C-alpha cells in the first residue's frame, strides 16, 4: 500500500460483459504500468471481467467541479 | 470545509444526503469517519496474519487455496479502507508502517493465535459473521458515498468467507472425532470473543457520532443481537455447546453468563463465574493479546529494506 | 521449438515405456515444483513491500497450487495415486528444484523465483500444449494465461528495483544465484527426457531448445533491467556446471524440501482434518 518511493495511484475501470458500461471499480498504487496491471487484475478479482483498464490518477482532469475524488489530496510522485 | 454546521449535516444525512468529498464534511464528521474506516482497515489487515498462521498448514492443497483466497480478500479490503483514508488526507504510510503495534484498532480476537484448521474455519464462521454484520449495516446506512461503493465488493467476498467457515464447521462436526472436538474447543474461546467484538453496550454510550452522522445504522447492542441470532442457532444445529440459547418461538437469544467476564490469557479460557466491568475490558484490550506485535511486524517484514533500496 | 507430428495418444498406456516414464517424471517435476513454489509465494503474502504486492503473491501462490493439483491429477493415468503423491512422500522423493528447498529470506530472491524459475516451468508447460499425449491439452491453457501475470509481476518489480544502484545490485545478486539452476532444470543436452519426449511428439522441445526459448524470454527483461552483463554471461556460456546434477530428480544436490516445507505441502499438522 501507499507510497513506496516512486509509486503513483492508478484508477481501475472495468466492464463485466459486452455492452456494459466501463465502471470505476477501484485504485491501486504501483511504480509502473506493468505492476499496476497485475495489481489491478489480482486485487479486483471479484468478477471475471470482460475488460479492465488502468490509468494514472494524475491524468484525470476535473471538468465541472473543483473537488472531485481523483484530484483531492493528489499524491506526490517522488 | 465547514460548508455546514454539525447540526445541519446531521439533519441532511438523516434526510438522505450523501457526502462525496471533504468539502461536504464537518470536522466532527471527518473525525468519526476516519476513526470508523481505521477500525475497519486494521481489522481486515490483522485478520491476514491471524488466518495465515493456520492456513499455511491447511490439510491439503485445495483447502490451502481456499484459505489463502480468503486472506487475499482481506488484504484487498484492508487496501480499500486505507485508500479511502488516504483520500481523506490521512498519512496511511505512517499508519501502516510506523504506528506502534498496540495502536492498531483491530478487535482482541485478532491479537490471538489461530492454531489449527478447526480454529481457522471457526474464525471464518464466527468472526467473518461479525464482520458482515458490521459492514452490511454500514453498507446499507452510510452517508459516505465512496465507502458505500467500496463495500459492494467487500460484502460479496465476506459472504464467501462465512460460507466457507460454516460449511467446514458442519463438515468437521458431522465427521465427529478429533475434528469435531477441535471445533468445540475453538468455539469455546471464540464465541465470547465474538460477543465482545461489538463493543460497549448501548447503556454505557451516551453520545454516538457514528449514528448521528449516519455512518452506521444500528447500535452496538442491535449489531451484537444480529450476530447472536445467526451464530447461536448455527452452533445449536451443529450440536456445539455455547453459553447462550435461542428461544425457538421468538428467535431471541439469551446469554447464559455475566457479560463481560474475565479471560484467562494463560489457559485461554473464559471464566464465566467472574464478571468484570467494561473498564476492565478496555484495560485488557489496551494491554493487547499475545500476537499483536508479531502480527503487525509480519506485515512490515521487507518494507524497510526495500524502501531503503529504492531511495538509494 | 517444434512438435513432431505422430499419432496422438489417448492414454499413458499407449506410450512406449521410456516415453511414459519420461513424461510422468516431467509432470511430477512440474507438479512438485509448483506445489512448493506456491509455498514460497505464500510466505510473502504478509511480508511483501506493499499490500498490493502481498495480494499478488497470494494470487500467484493459489495459481501455483491449482496448477500443482491439476498436474498431480494427470498422473493417475500413469498408475500413480495423487493422494499419495500429495500427502505421503518423503522429501527425497520430491522432484523439486534446489532453489525451492527452504523459505526465501529476501524479496529480490523471491523475484528471481518469480521471473526466472517460474518462467522455466511455464516454458515446459507450453511445450506440452499441443502434445500428442492428448489428456494434457485442455489443462494447459488457463494455466498459461495465469502465468502471464506472474511473469509481468516479476518484470515490473525487476524494472522498479533496477532504477537505483543498490536495487540493481540486489537484483543481480539474487538473479545470479537462480540463473544456473533454472537453466539446468531443462536437463542435459545429451540423451535424456527432453530428447525422448520431443522425438515422440509429446513435448515440443528438447532440453536445449526449451532452454533457448527460456533465454529468449528472460534475457530481454534482464537487459531492460540493466543487467546486460548477467544476460551475456549466461547466454554466451552454455557450459553449465552439472557436477551435482541428479537427472532423475531434475535438481542439484541430493536434498529436498526442508522439514517445515515438507510438513506444510503434505498437510501433516492438520492430517486428521483431511477430507478432500
Amino acid at each position: 500500500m501507499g507510497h513506496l518511493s516512486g509509486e503513483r495511484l492508478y484508477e481501475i475501470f472495468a466492464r463485466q460483459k459486452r455492452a456494459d458500461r466501463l465502471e470505476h471499480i477501484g485504485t491501486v498504487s504501483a511504480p509502473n504500468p506493468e505492476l499496476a496491471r497485475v495489481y489491478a487484475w489480482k486485487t479486483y478479482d471479484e468478477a471475471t471481467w470482460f475488460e479492465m483498464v488502468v490509468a494514472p490518477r494524475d491524468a484525470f482532469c476535473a471538468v465541472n467541479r473543483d473537488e472531485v475524488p481523483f484530484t483531492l489530496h493528489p499524491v506526490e510522485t517522488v | 470545509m465547514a460548508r455546514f454546521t454539525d447540526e445541519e449535516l446531521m439533519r441532511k444525512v438523516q434526510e438522505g444526503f450523501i457526502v462525496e468529498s471533504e468539502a461536504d464534511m464537518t470536522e466532527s464528521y471527518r473525525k468519526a469517519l476516519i476513526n470508523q474506516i481505521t477500525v475497519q482497515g486494521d481489522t481486515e489487515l490483522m485478520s491476514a496474519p491471524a488466518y495465515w498462521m493456520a492456513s499455511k498448514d491447511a490439510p491439503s492443497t485445495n483447502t490451502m487455496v481456499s484459505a489463502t483466497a480468503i486472506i487475499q480478500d482481506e488484504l484487498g479490503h484492508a487496501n480499500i479502507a486505507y485508500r479511502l483514508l488516504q483520500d481523506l488526507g490521512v498519512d496511511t504510510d505512517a499508519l501502516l508502517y510506523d504506528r506502534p503495534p498496540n495502536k492498531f484498532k483491530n478487535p482482541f480476537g485478532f491479537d490471538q493465535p489461530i492454531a489449527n484448521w478447526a480454529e481457522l474455519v471457526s474464525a471464518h464462521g464466527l468472526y467473518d459473521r461479525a464482520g458482515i454484520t458490521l459492514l452490511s449495516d454500514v453498507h446499507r446506512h452510510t452517508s459516505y458515498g465512496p465507502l458505500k461503493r467500496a463495500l459492494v465488493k467487500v460484502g460479496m467476498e465476506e459472504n464467501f468467507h462465512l460460507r466457507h467457515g460454516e460449511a467446514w464447521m458442519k463438515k468437521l462436526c458431522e465427521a465427529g472425532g478429533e475434528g469435531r472436538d477441535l471445533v468445540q474447543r475453538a468455539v469455546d474461546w471464540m464465541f465470547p470473543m465474538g460477543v465482545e467484538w461489538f463493543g460497549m453496550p448501548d447503556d454505557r454510550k451516551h453520545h454516538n457520532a457514528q449514528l448521528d452522522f449516519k455512518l452506521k445504522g444500528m447500535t452496538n447492542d442491535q449489531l451484537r443481537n444480529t450476530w447472536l441470532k445467526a451464530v447461536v442457532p448455527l452452533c445449536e444445529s451443529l450440536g456445539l455447546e455455547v453459553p447462550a440459547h435461542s428461544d425457538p418461538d421468538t428467535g431471541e437469544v439469551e446469554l447464559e453468563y455475566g457479560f463481560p467476564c474475565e479471560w484467562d490469557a494463560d489457559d485461554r479460557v473464559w471464566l464465566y463465574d467472574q464478571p468484570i466491568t467494561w473498564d476492565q475490558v478496555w484495560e485488557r484490550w489496551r494491554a493487547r493479546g499475545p500476537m499483536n506485535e508479531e502480527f503487525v511486524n509480519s506485515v512490515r517484514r521487507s518494507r524497510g529494506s526495500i524502501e531503503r533500496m529504492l531511495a538509494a | 521449438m517444434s512438435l513432431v507430428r505422430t499419432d496422438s495418444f489417448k492414454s499413458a498406456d499407449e506410450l512406449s515405456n521410456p516415453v511414459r516414464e519420461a513424461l510422468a517424471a516431467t509432470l511430477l517435476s512440474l507438479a512438485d515444483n509448483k506445489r512448493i513454489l506456491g509455498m514460497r509465494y505464500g510466505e510473502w503474502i504478509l511480508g511483501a513491500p506493499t499490500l498490493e504486492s502481498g495480494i499478488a503473491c497470494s494470487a500467484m501462490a493459489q495459481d501455483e497450487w491449482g496448477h500443482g493439483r491439476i498436474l498431480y491429477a494427470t498422473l493417475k493415468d500413469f498408475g500413480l495415486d495423487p493422494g499419495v503423491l500429495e500427502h505421503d512422500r518423503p522429501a527425497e522423493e520430491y522432484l523439486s528444484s534446489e532453489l525451492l528447498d527452504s523459505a526465501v529470506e529476501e524479496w529480490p530472491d523471491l523475484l528471481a523465483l518469480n521471473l526466472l524459475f517460474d518462467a522455466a516451468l511455464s516454458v515446459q508447460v507450453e511445450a506440452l500444449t499441443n502434445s500428442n499425449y492428448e489428456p494434457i491439452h485442455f489443462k494447459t491453457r488457463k494455466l498459461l494465461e495465469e502465468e502471464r501475470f506472474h511473469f509481468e509481476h516479476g518484470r515490473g518489480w525487476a524494472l522498479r528495483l533496477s532504477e537505483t544502484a543498490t536495487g540493481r545490485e540486489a537484483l543481480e545478486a539474487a538473479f545470479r544465484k537462480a540463473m544456473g539452476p533454472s537453466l539446468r532444470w531443462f536437463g542435459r543436452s545429451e540423451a535424456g527426457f527432453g530428447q525422448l519426449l520431443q522425438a515422440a511428439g509429446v513435448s515440443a522441445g528438447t532440453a536445449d531448445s526449451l532452454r533457448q526459448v527460456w533465454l529468449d524470454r528472460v534475457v530481454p527483461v534482464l537487459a531492460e533491467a540493466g543487467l546486460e552483463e548477467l544476460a551475456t554471461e549466461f547466454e554466451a556460456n552454455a557450459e553449465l556446471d552439472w557436477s551435482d546434477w541428479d537427472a532423475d530428480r531434475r535438481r542439484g544436490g541430493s536434498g529436498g524440501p526442508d522439514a517445515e516445507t515438507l510438513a506444510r505441502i503434505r498437510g501433516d499438522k492438520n492430517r486428521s482434518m483431511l477430507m478432500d
Side-chain angles (χ1 to χ4, degrees), chain C residues 9 11-20 23 78 132-133 200 202:
Chain C
F9 307 108
S11 89
D13 292 342
E14 298 169 21
L15 301 167
S16 73
N17 273 343
V19 171
R20 190 170 59 239
L23 180 56
F78 296 78
N132 286 351
Y133 175 68
V202 167

Side-chain angles (χ1 to χ4, degrees), chain C:
Chain C
M1 189 159 91
S2 65
L3 203 62
V4 176
R5 296 308 314 183
T6 63
D7 291 341
S8 62
F9 307 108
K10 302 250 186 288
S11 89
D13 292 342
E14 298 169 21
L15 301 167
S16 73
N17 273 343
V19 171
R20 190 170 59 239
E21 274 167 31
L23 180 56
T26 298
L27 294 171
L28 186 57
S29 170
L30 282 170
D32 284 349
N33 278 306
K34 280 178 168 289
R35 178 68 174 107
I36 305 176
L37 178 59
M39 286 309 307
R40 302 289 90 105
Y41 281 132
E43 284 146 5
W44 285 90
I45 296 171
L46 300 172
T50 63
L51 283 191
E52 279 93 340
S53 45
I55 290 168
C57 284
S58 168
M60 292 192 288
Q62 292 165 60
D63 289 345
E64 295 304 339
W65 293 328
H67 304 168
R69 286 271 316 173
I70 290 170
L71 290 157
Y72 284 126
T74 63
L75 286 158
K76 226 191 282 187
D77 190 30
F78 296 78
L80 295 166
D81 177 351
V84 173
L85 294 176
E86 290 195 47
H87 298 285
D88 286 318
R89 281 180 301 154
E92 61 272 18
E93 284 180 24
Y94 275 81
L95 309 190
S96 54
S97 166
E98 66 273 28
L99 287 173
L100 300 175
D101 284 348
S102 47
V104 161
E105 299 295 334
E106 301 293 333
W107 182 244
D109 290 310
L110 194 267
L111 296 177
L113 292 182
N114 182 192
L115 190 79
L116 304 179
F117 190 67
D118 201 353
L121 301 180
S122 296
V123 166
Q124 175 64 76
V125 172
E126 270 169 43
L128 297 172
T129 300
N130 293 307
S131 173
N132 286 351
Y133 175 68
E134 285 185 357
I136 195 75
H137 281 182
F138 67 101
K139 323 227 151 146
T140 57
R141 298 199 196 283
K142 180 172 170 269
L143 191 157
L144 291 170
E145 223 166 88
E146 290 170 347
E147 287 294 338
R148 272 185 27 221
F149 283 96
H150 297 204
F151 192 72
E152 193 79 344
H153 181 266
R155 176 168 172 258
W157 263 102
L159 295 179
R160 177 63 190 106
L161 285 188
S162 72
E163 287 168 24
T164 64
T166 23
R168 203 162 46 244
E169 278 162 30
L171 204 59
E172 173 157 15
F175 280 19
R176 183 175 296 281
K177 283 184 277 179
M179 280 301 277
S182 299
L183 279 161
R184 282 200 310 192
W185 185 75
F186 295 102
R188 306 190 76 138
S189 311
E190 316 84 79
F193 48 84
Q195 286 67 7
L196 255 169
L197 294 177
Q198 204 264 347
V202 167
S203 166
T206 62
D208 279 341
S209 67
L210 294 184
R211 202 173 353 257
Q212 192 55 50
V213 172
W214 180 80
L215 279 168
D216 292 344
R217 188 161 308 165
V218 302
V219 162
V221 181
L222 296 180
E224 271 182 300
L227 304 179
E228 289 87 354
E229 265 180 51
L230 186 64
T232 345
E233 193 179 316
F234 281 93
E235 202 169 26
N237 181 9
E239 291 300 311
L240 293 163
D241 176 10
W242 297 96
S243 54
D244 67 344
W245 180 245
D246 181 337
D248 291 334
R249 294 177 64 205
R250 295 183 74 160
R251 58 170 288 132
S254 56
D258 66 17
E260 200 174 306
T261 305
L262 185 71
R264 287 200 177 130
I265 56 179
R266 292 162 31 128
D268 288 354
K269 199 171 158 193
N270 286 292
R271 181 59 61 95
S272 69
M273 288 176 274
L274 172 60
M275 296 177 186
D276 276 16

Side-chain angles (χ1 to χ4, degrees), chain B residues 233-250:
Chain B
L234 169 78
C235 291
E236 285 171 342
S237 77
L238 299 180
L240 293 166
E241 280 175 38
V242 285
H245 61 269
S246 57
D247 183 322
D249 297 325
T250 62

Side-chain angles (χ1 to χ4, degrees), chain B residues 57 61 72 178 301-302 309, chain C residues 43 47 62 86 164 270 272:
Chain B
D57 287 304
T61 313
Q72 182 179 343
E178 196 194 7
R301 177 155 51 111
S302 71
M309 205 177 273
Chain C
E43 284 146 5
Q62 292 165 60
E86 290 195 47
T164 64
N270 286 292
S272 69

Side-chain angles (χ1 to χ4, degrees), chain A residues 1-5 9 27 29 42-46 57 67 72-73, chain B residues 3 22-23 72 82-83 86-87 89 92-93 96 153 156-157 303 307:
Chain A
M1 145 98 215
H3 309 9
L4 199 55
S5 325
L9 294 179
T27 313
S29 179
K42 293 304 186 186
T43 306
Y44 293 88
D45 62 351
E46 64 268 30
R57 175 179 284 199
E67 9 141 305
L72 210 60
H73 298 295
Chain B
R3 185 186 291 174
E22 276 182 285
Q72 182 179 343
Y82 293 129
R83 189 69 60 212
Q86 202 174 44
D87 286 345
T92 51
D93 253 15
L96 257 168
K153 166 187 163 79
M156 220 158 65
E157 291 172 340
R303 174 71 176 203
E307 182 72 74

Side-chain angles (χ1 to χ4, degrees), chain B residues 21 26 40 78 86 134 148 191 210 215 251 287:
Chain B
S21 75
T26 63
Q40 188 188 319
Q86 202 174 44
L134 288 160
K148 199 181 188 76
F191 177 82
Q210 289 193 9
L215 296 175

